[in-house]
């Protein structure tokens, strides 16, 4: 839905990597190798990636380049991983909505 | 055994990869250390290696990076330099690096060029921490590198031509751009500077393309306007905008807000190395003091590109070339004086153009005064403008005291999202009270690293 499939001058058509399956909060979804965890979350309609532990405020992707630490999620049991700079792997287990520092 | 290289280049953006390309033809060992999976930086962001272009089009990026293959060049991708330790007695530097398997955790370099770039300058207002508000940079990366639209109905708030380019990209990708809000007036003043635009054909034609898609899609651009609030239940549902001078506010229904208020230098590494830095109100950050050959106050350490003040791609390219030739001549390689003179000429021209853009679209610092007390300034520790104003009223006007009192800048982004705002608030005060340079407190690691990568440093590294 939010994966761009239109061709334009500045966005020539691309072919994504091989189709794989990942788990988001217990549901299995399609993803393509080369995509980041954040991209797959966004493509599946997720906007809140985690809550702050001080005030339980929702946070999503913000800087997109690995410096703000807002988009962290749990990946394969490891908490606080920056989803914007982590590429998906086949069978990856992603959990959103956890609380993290700040 | 610690690996040794002649020239370490930190950052694989336009400044870094141009420097490497320039040095490749000489008999020196070069190592690029880049924190991205592929070279290019934010400007020439490549699609992931797993993606392919359909049709065998000859792409700009492929042409740029294909020549970067040479036996004397090592490219370390997905690797983060978190400290630079000058070792003046040995006339060398020790770099501490964090990365996956295969990335050396220590590297000795005879000369170092730092070109880590810049990041989007924060523009705090109530709700800028809601999901659905992101930097223009984040949106660009998602579209260009991931081919993902981060929303459907967009409001772009910020200033300058990069917002037009983002609007064009969003429209090209099929999104609806509802409105563009620019804090500065329409750039009429540019007309008086037309001679400086002579020769900037590539940029002018890009600009024309952006405007044509904005006009064709009927996107209104509100100059002299600002965003004042983002609202929504759990994520952005609407943006409140109004004239930059205050007055009547208007609510616009959108699901995504992209903030493009220019950039602030990512100068943490050069600060950590011990080089002298000056505060720049224009860029809202500290930039290294440099010689004419772009060497910092630490001999052998050069700093180039957007981390030294945002000049954009073309300034970065010219600086990368100039610095690398300076570094090479220190390594006893003969460089022709004409080459250096020619690059200087080019650099001056590009700097002039960058300066005009900066003057036409300055960061609207004064808007912070219009934001209410509940505006979050430090996103990590959730310190508000009200918290800071209260502490400052009691006379706590410097970084150390404000940190201790409020925890501003002590979260995991290490101040990257709040330091520019804090500096803006305290600098006029600090300068009145104790003129001269503020004492900078940036310590390694420059970015959070795993304990594992520290352990592998070995015991006694710090001694």
């Amino acid at each position: 839905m939010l994966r761009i499939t239109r061709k334009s001058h500045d966005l020539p058509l691309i072919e994504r990597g091989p189709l794989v399956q990942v788990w988001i909060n217990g549901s299995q979804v399609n993803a393509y190798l080369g995509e980041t965890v954040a991209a797959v979350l966004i493509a599946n309609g997720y906007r809140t990636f985690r809550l702050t532990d001080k005030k339980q405020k929702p946070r999503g992707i913000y800087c997109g380049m690995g410096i703000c630490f807002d988009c962290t999620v749990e990946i394969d049991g490891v908490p606080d991983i920056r989803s914007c700079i982590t590429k998906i792997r086949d069978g990856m287990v992603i959990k959103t909505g956890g609380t993290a520092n700040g | 055994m610690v690996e040794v290289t002649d020239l370490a280049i930190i950052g694989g953006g336009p400044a870094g990869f141009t420097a490497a390309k320039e040095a490749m033809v000489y008999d020196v060992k070069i190592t690029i250390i880049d924190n991205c999976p592929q070279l290019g930086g934010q400007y020439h962001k490549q699609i992931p290696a797993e993606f392919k272009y359909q049709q065998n089009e000859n792409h700009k990026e492929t042409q740029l990076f294909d020549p970067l293959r040479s036996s004397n060049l090592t490219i370390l991708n997905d690797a983060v330099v978190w400290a630079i330790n000058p070792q003046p007695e040995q006339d060398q530097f020790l770099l501490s690096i964090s990365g996956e398997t295969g990335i050396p955790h220590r590297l000795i370099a005879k000369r170092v060029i730092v070109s880590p770039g810049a990041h989007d300058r924060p523009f705090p207002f109530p709700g800028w921490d809601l999901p659905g508000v992101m930097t223009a940079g984040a949106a660009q990366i998602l579209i260009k590198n991931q081919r993902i639209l981060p929303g459907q109905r967009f409001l772009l708030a910020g200033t300058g031509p990069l917002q037009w380019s983002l609007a064009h990209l969003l429209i090209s990708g099929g999104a609806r751009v509802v409105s563009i809000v620019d804090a500065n007036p329409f750039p009429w003043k540019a007309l008086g500077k037309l001679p400086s635009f002579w020769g900037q054909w590539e940029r002018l034609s890009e600009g024309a393309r952006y405007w044509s898609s904005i006009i064709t899609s009927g996107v209104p651009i509100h100059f002299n306007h600002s965003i004042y609030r983002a609202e929504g239940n759990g994520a952005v549902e609407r943006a409140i905008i109004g004239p930059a001078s205050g007055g009547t506010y208007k609510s616009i229904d959108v699901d995504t807000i992209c903030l493009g208020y220019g950039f602030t230098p990512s100068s943490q590494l050069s600060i950590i190395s011990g080089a002298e830095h000056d505060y720049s109100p224009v860029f809202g950050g500290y930039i290294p003091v440099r010689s004419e050959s772009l060497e910092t106050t630490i001999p052998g350490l050069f700093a180039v590109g957007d981390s030294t003040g945002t000049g954009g791609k073309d300034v970065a390219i010219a600086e990368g070339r100039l610095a690398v030739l300076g570094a090479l001549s220190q390594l006893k390689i003969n460089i022709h004086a004409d080459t250096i003179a020619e690059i200087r000429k080019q650099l001056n021209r590009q700097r002039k153009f960058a300066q005009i853009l900066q003057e036409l679209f300055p960061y609207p610092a004064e808007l912070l005064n219009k934001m209410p007390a509940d505006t979050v300034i430090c996103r990590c520790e959730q310190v508000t403008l009200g918290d800071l104003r209260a502490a400052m009223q009691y006379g706590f006007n410097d970084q150390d005291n404000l940190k201790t009192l409020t925890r501003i800048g002590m979260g995991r982004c290490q101040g990257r999202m709040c330091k520019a705002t804090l500096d803006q608030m305290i600098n006029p005060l600090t300068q009145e009270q104790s003129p001269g340079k503020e004492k900078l407190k940036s310590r390694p690691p420059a970015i959070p690293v795993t304990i594992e990568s520290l352990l592998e440093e070995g015991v006694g590294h710090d001694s």
Side-chain angles (χ1 to χ4, degrees):
Chain A
M1 170 190 63
L2 293 167
R3 287 188 173 94
I4 298 172
T5 50
R6 289 165 46 143
K7 181 194 164 117
S8 63
H9 178 278
D10 292 276
L11 297 171
L13 281 185
I14 51 106
E15 201 175 295
R16 290 170 190 275
L19 176 70
V20 295
Q21 312 283 317
V22 299
W23 296 86
I24 304 177
N25 300 332
S27 313
Q28 202 174 21
V29 303
N30 287 344
Y32 301 88
L33 291 184
E35 292 184 338
T36 60
V37 173
V40 174
L41 285 169
I42 291 169
N44 284 280
Y46 282 87
R47 310 189 73 195
T48 298
F49 289 14
R50 69 164 179 114
L51 302 173
T52 64
D53 67 359
K54 272 191 178 161
K55 299 182 180 171
Q56 309 289 304
K57 298 272 190 190
R59 291 288 169 87
I61 190 160
Y62 177 70
C63 81
M65 50 195 273
I67 58 175
C68 79
F69 287 77
D70 260 349
C71 69
T72 56
V73 295
E74 186 187 303
I75 293 173
D76 293 335
V78 185
D80 295 351
I81 307 287
R82 287 168 285 175
S83 62
C84 69
I85 54 165
T86 306
K87 284 185 181 175
I88 54 122
R89 291 180 301 269
D90 194 12
M92 190 181 246
V93 178
I94 303 157
K95 279 192 187 131
T96 68
T99 50
N101 280 355
Chain B
M1 261 305 281
V2 181
E3 284 184 41
V4 181
T5 192
D6 293 314
L7 184 64
I9 299 171
I10 305 171
F17 74 75
T18 312
K21 214 179 260 182
E22 192 85 29
M24 249 165 47
V25 296
Y26 300 99
D27 182 25
V28 285
K29 212 177 148 201
I30 312 151
T31 309
I32 302 185
I33 308 131
D34 187 22
N35 62 4
C36 291
Q38 290 148 293
L39 292 182
Q42 300 307 334
Y43 187 88
H44 288 296
K45 194 97 192 163
Q46 302 190 63
I47 57 169
E50 296 87 344
F51 288 16
K52 277 195 298 277
Y53 284 107
Q54 285 184 6
Q55 295 146 356
N56 248 342
E57 290 177 60
N58 204 359
H59 285 280
K60 213 166 51 181
E61 272 69 33
T62 325
Q63 288 168 19
L64 271 173
F65 300 110
D66 274 358
L68 277 165
R69 284 194 193 109
S70 173
S71 56
N72 62 343
L73 172 67
T74 308
I75 301 173
L76 303 177
N77 282 118
D78 280 324
V80 178
V81 177
W82 55 268
I84 301 175
N85 297 291
Q87 299 182 324
E89 291 85 19
Q90 291 95 346
D91 191 25
Q92 64 184 31
F93 297 84
L94 174 66
L95 309 185
S96 304
I97 309 171
S98 163
E100 301 277 302
T101 328
I103 302 290
H105 284 201
R106 283 197 276 175
L107 179 68
I108 285 182
K110 291 185 186 147
R111 292 295 176 269
V112 177
I113 294 178
V114 273
S115 55
H119 56 268
D120 288 86
R121 185 162 174 184
F123 182 79
F125 55 87
W128 76 304
D129 51 342
L130 264 184
V133 182
M134 67 191 67
T135 64
Q140 291 256 8
I141 293 168
L142 283 166
I143 300 167
K144 290 206 310 208
N145 166 266
Q146 291 287 309
R147 292 295 204 276
I148 291 270
L149 284 176
Q152 279 155 336
R153 287 174 60 84
F154 287 79
L155 176 111
L156 311 191
T159 189
L162 283 177
Q163 290 294 83
W164 314 337
S165 110
L166 176 58
H168 167 72
L169 267 184
L170 286 166
I171 295 164
S172 304
R176 174 95 202 277
V177 179
V178 181
S179 191
I180 303 175
V181 174
D182 195 306
N184 285 300
F186 183 85
W188 294 116
K189 280 187 278 180
L191 292 176
K193 317 224 178 207
L194 278 182
S196 307
F197 290 82
W198 184 262
Q200 304 283 356
W201 311 127
E202 197 192 334
R203 283 201 197 159
L204 290 173
S205 82
E206 272 175 25
R209 211 165 64 239
Y210 304 155
W211 271 92
S212 127
S213 76
I214 289 169
I215 291 166
T216 316
S217 312
V219 183
I221 304 192
H222 303 279
F223 285 99
N224 267 326
H225 272 65
S226 177
I227 182 161
Y228 285 99
R229 190 175 278 272
E231 293 176 351
N233 186 14
V236 171
E237 291 167 22
R238 70 200 80 87
I240 313 297
I241 65 161
S245 53
T248 337
Y249 299 115
K250 194 165 103 180
S251 170
I252 299 182
D253 288 346
V254 289
D255 57 40
T256 310
I257 298 169
C258 300
L259 307 176
Y261 287 88
F263 302 96
T264 186
S266 304
S267 48
Q268 288 79 11
L269 266 182
S270 47
I271 292 173
I272 283 174
S273 73
E276 257 179 56
H277 286 66
D278 278 335
Y279 179 66
S280 157
V282 174
F283 300 117
Y286 285 83
I287 54 178
V289 175
R290 298 181 296 169
S291 72
E292 220 194 1
S293 48
L294 311 179
E295 194 171 12
T296 66
T297 53
I298 308 257
L301 179 74
F302 297 76
V304 293
D306 280 356
S307 71
T308 66
T310 318
K313 176 201 60 159
D314 294 311
V315 170
I317 286 175
E319 286 199 352
R321 294 181 64 199
L322 195 58
V324 85
L325 296 181
L328 289 172
S329 41
Q330 289 187 3
L331 295 173
K332 310 272 177 285
I333 286 167
N334 235 339
I335 307 290
H336 209 285
D338 288 353
T339 318
I340 294 193
E342 194 246 277
I343 302 173
R344 281 229 165 93
K345 218 169 94 187
Q346 215 177 350
L347 176 59
N348 286 337
R349 213 167 59 93
Q350 297 298 351
R351 273 186 180 156
K352 217 164 113 189
F353 185 74
Q355 201 189 335
I356 289 172
L357 281 183
Q358 190 66 48
E359 283 166 10
L360 289 173
F361 303 102
Y363 179 81
E366 68 293 341
L367 281 167
L368 187 66
N369 302 324
K370 293 200 163 66
M371 299 304 167
D374 64 340
T375 307
V376 169
I377 301 296
C378 167
R379 299 168 65 98
C380 297
E381 296 292 327
Q382 291 166 88
V383 182
T384 65
L385 193 54
D387 297 336
L388 291 170
R389 282 178 182 152
M392 290 171 81
Q393 254 167 16
Y394 283 102
F396 300 108
N397 288 329
D398 61 274
Q399 189 181 292
D400 281 352
N401 277 316
L402 288 169
K403 255 176 143 172
T404 314
L405 278 168
T406 67
R407 290 194 58 81
I408 187 167
M410 295 179 78
R412 291 182 302 175
C413 87
Q414 297 176 296
R416 285 173 176 84
M417 299 297 123
C418 66
K419 187 82 167 44
T421 316
L422 179 66
D423 283 335
Q424 175 195 326
M425 289 176 76
I426 63 178
N427 255 287
L429 298 166
T430 322
Q431 270 154 22
E432 269 169 40
Q433 283 155 10
S434 54
K437 289 185 175 69
E438 191 212 22
K439 248 191 277 160
L440 282 171
K441 297 266 172 63
S442 273
R443 299 185 188 86
I447 190 134
V449 291
T450 58
I451 285 182
E452 194 185 3
S453 65
L454 295 180
L455 286 175
E456 285 172 43
E457 281 290 322
V459 180
H461 161 63
D462 224 355
S463 58

